Amino acid sequence: MDSLGLFILLMLLCFQWTTAPAGKEATWTYTGLVGQSEWSQYFPECAGTSQSPVDVVTTQTKYDPSLLPLTPLGYSQHGNKPFSLYNNGHTVVIKLPEWMGLGGLPWLYTAVQMHLHWGSGGPSHGGAEHTINGQSADAELHVVHYNSELYPDMSTAMMQSDGLAVLGILIVTGEETNTAFNNILNYLSRIRHADQKVFIPAFDIQSLLPKDLGRYYRYNGSLTTPPCYQSVIWTLFNERVQISQTQLLKLETILYSSKSEESDRMLLQDNYRATQLLNHRVVFASFSAESGKELSSGEVTAIVIGVMCGCVGLAVIIRFIVKTIRFFTLLHRESVVVNSSTSSWDVLPSNRPAPMLRMKEPEKGKEKKQDMALKSTSEAEKKEEPSPSPQTEP
Ligand SMILES: *[C@@H]1O[C@H](CO)[C@@H](O)[C@H](O)[C@H]1NC(C)=O
């Protein structure tokens, strides 16, 4: 028994030793000692080739007509059970009830949680994770689901390639207050420090999403935080949602990444990861870029002016060509007339142009009548040339 006790003690010590570095899992940050560029030293998957977020270059996306509108399931049936709002030191997390899910993917996905990413410099200073054509939004909402058809729970699913489905919603700043987001923002002051949690009244999660759920980008990627598992089917909506400047300011300045017992308070800001290389991946679009573009009035004006200039230019060119043709035709006729004095037998055909041709080619002639009429003078000559008719000599 003594030796067994010693063995267990040794095992426990060993376990302590081996898990000690793993304790750093809780200490990763966005900048500093275990910042983004160091994540892969502790979490190897962060150096993978299918990482998120990415920059979506719209001209390089591939339109896939089989990508149907996503259907949030039960997002609006929140029931009366309060949601929990939690500051985990990296973001604010809202736990979602298990009856919420996602339809429109090859499997049924069950909602787990949602959280936000943001910046620090106010509007137009970044904060979102995904970018579109290099353009950054002010914040980004992620709604996380796991594949409940194939896997029993989130922790199993998050390590499988088709395990997770995350919705990415880009948030920009505008004039109007987005009352849906106040369901979260109004309670941030109760969870200012890391590890703090509060229950908030349940609300309609769908009200946080853009109206147009039919237009989105789809690609295979990863968790945007350690351990960066490459298990996420990403859906990034084309439509952005808008919050007010005051709302963005709340998000950026209320929370701390430090715990309440820590003396050095650290604001929880700039909790977004830099965009990662696409590598071999393709970003699919559920809509085609041409029809998808809504033009601003400036763009419309530019196009109208462009088209008008183009038309005027074309008219000038056509006029020039027509004039040149007329000039050369006249020149040719004159030379023919001059020639007629010496070898005159090719003058006659040019004097009776179109009717002769129509009689020769009755079927073909219909559509080309006008063309023929124009060219007839010169063509008639060519055609008549080989036919020996020297008897018409005057
Ligand atoms: C994601 O990867 C799977 C194979 O692992 C593939 O079948 C699927 O088409 C990919 N989806 C996208 C959007 O690239």
Side-chain angles (χ1 to χ4, degrees):
M1 284 308 259
D2 243 12
S3 57
L4 184 66
L6 194 68
F7 179 68
I8 288 170
L9 192 72
L10 273 169
M11 281 295 282
L12 279 173
L13 273 171
C14 250
F15 193 64
Q16 271 299 109
W17 269 106
T18 51
T19 52
K24 292 208 172 186
E25 275 184 37
T27 68
W28 63 268
T29 52
Y30 283 90
T31 52
L33 279 178
V34 193
Q36 303 187 41
S37 40
E38 278 71 45
W39 287 358
S40 61
Q41 291 174 28
Y42 304 87
F43 311 95
E45 288 223 30
C46 297
T49 55
S50 296
Q51 288 289 295
S52 293
V54 296
D55 177 40
V56 175
V57 181
T58 52
T59 55
Q60 281 163 28
T61 59
K62 194 172 185 302
Y63 170 49
D64 181 354
S66 74
L67 293 176
L68 303 173
L70 280 176
T71 45
L73 306 170
Y75 271 43
S76 303
Q77 279 88 55
H78 49 75
N80 287 316
K81 240 179 110 187
F83 295 158
S84 74
L85 193 70
Y86 178 58
N87 176 348
N88 69 5
H90 305 297
T91 185
V92 50
V93 187
I94 295 114
K95 205 166 163 282
L96 294 174
E98 63 272 9
W99 66 78
M100 290 188 191
L102 205 55
L105 286 161
W107 298 278
L108 183 72
Y109 284 79
T110 295
V112 182
Q113 51 107 321
M114 61 183 182
H115 60 265
L116 289 148
H117 299 271
W118 59 87
S120 61
S124 310
H125 283 83
E129 298 210 296
H130 288 90
T131 57
I132 296 182
N133 296 327
Q135 289 231 318
S136 198
D138 296 325
E140 187 167 333
L141 172 68
H142 288 161
V143 191
V144 184
H145 309 72
Y146 80 95
N147 186 334
S148 50
E149 260 187 73
L150 299 184
Y151 309 109
D153 51 48
M154 170 72 180
S155 37
T156 314
M158 72 194 290
M159 303 172 92
Q160 316 295 324
S161 67
D162 45 16
L164 305 181
V166 183
L167 304 182
I169 295 110
L170 298 175
I171 301 167
V172 291
T173 312
E175 291 290 308
E176 285 157 42
T177 301
N178 188 326
T179 53
F181 276 84
N182 278 345
N183 287 304
I184 302 168
L185 299 173
N186 285 350
Y187 301 94
L188 294 182
S189 57
R190 309 227 195 136
I191 52 159
R192 294 195 72 174
H193 301 278
D195 285 353
Q196 288 183 332
K197 184 169 134 181
V198 70
F199 284 98
I200 62 169
F203 64 96
D204 180 0
I205 302 297
Q206 187 150 356
S207 64
L208 300 171
L209 306 188
K211 283 179 203 75
D212 182 4
L213 302 179
R215 282 139 69 106
Y216 56 82
Y217 300 104
R218 166 71 47 78
Y219 78 99
N220 285 336
S222 74
L223 301 175
T224 64
T225 57
C228 307
Y229 293 141
Q230 299 186 152
S231 55
V232 181
I233 299 174
W234 274 98
T235 302
L236 182 69
F237 290 110
N238 176 63
E239 187 189 332
R240 298 157 176 224
V241 303
Q242 190 239 275
I243 62 172
S244 73
Q245 200 161 329
T246 311
Q247 288 181 306
L248 182 69
L249 198 69
K250 274 188 182 178
L251 186 60
E252 288 184 344
T253 57
I254 291 183
L255 299 178
Y256 296 112
S257 61
S258 50
K259 295 176 185 174
S260 57
E261 61 265 27
E262 286 177 277
S263 50
D264 291 338
R265 288 186 174 183
M266 296 278 292
L267 274 175
L268 177 39
Q269 291 182 321
D270 297 314
N271 57 351
Y272 61 97
R273 189 187 193 190
T275 54
Q276 307 291 303
L277 291 176
L278 208 52
N279 296 315
H280 59 284
R281 291 174 290 175
V282 177
V283 178
F284 294 92
S286 69
F287 58 103
S288 63
E290 301 85 58
S291 63
K293 251 195 173 175
E294 275 172 42
L295 300 173
S296 69
S297 60
E299 285 171 316
V300 169
T301 311
I303 288 169
V304 166
I305 290 171
V307 166
M308 278 166 64
C309 286
C311 284
V312 168
L314 202 65
V316 167
I317 290 167
I318 288 173
R319 202 174 142 77
F320 173 77
I321 290 171
V322 166
K323 277 195 161 183
T324 310
I325 288 173
R326 273 199 201 140
F327 174 76
F328 280 109
T329 312
L330 275 174
L331 204 68
H332 190 235
R333 271 197 196 150
E334 270 168 31
S335 69
V336 165
V337 169
V338 169
N339 284 348
S340 70
S341 56
T342 46
S343 70
S344 51
W345 53 265
D346 56 347
V347 175
L348 197 59
S350 73
N351 279 346
R352 41 181 179 128
M356 253 196 79
L357 268 170
R358 277 185 206 144
M359 286 193 324
K360 274 188 175 178
E361 296 174 300
E363 309 92 23
K364 270 189 169 181
K366 280 179 190 170
E367 288 165 15
K368 293 188 174 176
K369 265 181 195 172
Q370 279 192 315
D371 269 6
M372 286 296 203
L374 267 174
K375 291 178 184 170
S376 57
T377 42
S378 52
E379 272 185 18
E381 287 155 19
K382 282 179 200 162
K383 282 191 179 158
E384 297 293 310
E385 256 173 1
S387 67
S389 54
Q391 66 269 30
T392 52
E393 207 177 308

